[in-house]
Every structure is written in structure tokens, then in C-alpha cells.
């Protein structure tokens, strides 16, 4: 069965926020990546140093079942940032088929912002807002299944 976590989006202060959450919950970050660590592509314009140091993704386990996840927004996504609506429900599916099923069912009538696809970080991933305006992320990480 899929697991569900909260994914928080920040406008440049993700690292500060997650250091605060870590001080409250304890634990370690199993992963923290910055935008400068992303592979460059022809479509992407070079970013300045400040944007490159922003958080692309961070995970903080806060219990055996639950993680807080987050990132800074930037580029074309920054104009959509609104405090109070800066979260998504993150579903980690147990299979590619489950990921597709959940993505297709939940996104029906909504707006897909990133179709399900293999990513450079090795996961099968997609994003959308459902027909009620709730933001979702669906993920299947084959590496975690091994």
C-alpha cells in the first residue's frame, strides 16, 4: 500500500525551516540536494549562485511512518508561490502500476503540472492539482524496492 507524506514548498528559506524542524523532531536528513546539483540540460538556463544554493529536495523522517519533505521554489514556479498553500500531498507508491493508477484517478478533472515520467534522480514521478485545487505528487522509487 502507498504511503502518504506532506511536501512543503518554500520561497528561499527551506534550509532554515528544515533546520528548525530538525531541532524540534531530531533525526538526520537522509537526503538534501541543491538546484546546482541538478544535471544541466539544453532547456534550462544557467542559474545564479543564490538560486543554485537553494534546496531542490530535502527529507526529514519524523517517525517510522512519516517524513517531512520540502524544497525551495524558483524560476517559472516562483510566481505561483502562496504562503498557506505551499504544500502538496506526497504519495510514495509500491509499484509503477500503482503510481499510474493513483495519478490517473486523482488527476481526473484536475491540472497536470508534470506527467508521470522517469526522473534524473531515478524515480518515476509526477505532479498535479486535483479538481478541488489540492496539490499532489506521486512517486515510485525503484531503488527503494531493491
Amino acid at each position: 500500500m502507498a504511503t502518504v507524506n506532506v511536501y512543503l514548498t518554500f520561497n528561499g528559506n527551506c534550509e532554515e525551516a528544515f533546520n528548525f524542524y530538525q531541532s524540534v523532531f531530531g533525526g538526520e536528513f537522509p537526503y538534501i540536494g541543491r538546484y546546482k546539483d541538478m544535471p544541466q540540460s539544453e532547456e534550462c538556463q544557467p542559474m545564479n549562485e543564490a538560486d543554485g544554493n537553494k534546496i531542490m529536495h530535502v527529507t526529514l523522517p519524523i517517525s517510522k511512518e512519516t517524513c517531512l519533505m520540502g524544497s525551495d521554489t524558483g524560476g517559472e514556479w516562483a510566481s505561483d508561490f502562496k504562503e498557506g498553500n505551499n504544500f502538496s500531498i506526497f504519495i510514495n507508491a509500491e509499484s509503477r502500476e500503482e503510481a499510474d493508477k493513483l495519478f490517473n484517478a486523482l488527476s481526473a478533472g484536475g491540472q497536470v503540472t508534470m506527467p508521470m515520467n522517469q526522473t534524473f534522480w531515478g524515480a518515476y514521478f509526477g505532479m498535479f492539482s486535483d479538481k478541488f485545487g489540492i496539490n499532489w505528487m506521486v512517486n515510485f522509487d525503484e531503488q527503494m524496492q531493491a
Side-chain angles (χ1 to χ4, degrees):
M1 176 176 271
T3 59
V4 176
N5 291 288
V6 177
Y7 198 100
L8 307 170
T9 305
F10 298 87
N11 196 14
N13 61 340
C14 181
E15 187 167 14
E16 177 186 359
F18 269 78
N19 285 331
F20 170 73
Y21 300 144
Q22 184 183 41
S23 77
V24 173
F25 293 106
E28 298 298 322
F29 302 121
Y31 179 80
I32 185 165
R34 300 184 184 279
Y35 284 105
K36 66 183 179 186
D37 301 329
M38 290 174 39
Q40 294 298 311
S41 68
E42 292 177 17
E43 302 90 41
C44 292
Q45 297 192 6
M47 66 181 71
N48 63 43
E49 187 176 342
D51 286 342
N53 282 321
K54 288 181 179 178
I55 303 298
M56 177 191 66
H57 179 78
V58 61
T59 301
L60 177 65
I62 60 173
S63 75
K64 286 190 334 186
E65 301 84 19
T66 307
C67 293
L68 286 178
M69 292 179 254
S71 66
D72 282 311
T73 191
E76 65 189 53
W77 302 83
S79 63
D80 292 334
F81 179 84
K82 289 181 185 61
E83 239 177 66
N85 191 26
N86 53 327
F87 68 92
S88 297
I89 299 172
F90 184 96
I91 300 174
N92 202 27
E94 289 188 338
S95 69
R96 206 174 169 106
E97 294 76 22
E98 182 183 38
D100 282 334
K101 177 183 173 195
L102 292 168
F103 185 93
N104 292 334
L106 287 166
S107 67
Q111 181 176 2
V112 173
T113 52
M114 183 176 175
M116 291 300 294
N117 204 350
Q118 198 64 37
T119 64
F120 70 86
W121 64 85
Y124 184 59
F125 178 83
M127 300 187 313
F128 60 92
S129 295
D130 70 19
K131 63 184 174 182
F132 304 104
I134 303 299
N135 297 317
W136 295 82
M137 297 175 169
V138 177
N139 186 77
F140 170 63
D141 191 347
E142 294 170 291
Q143 297 170 357
M144 299 298 285
Q145 303 300 310

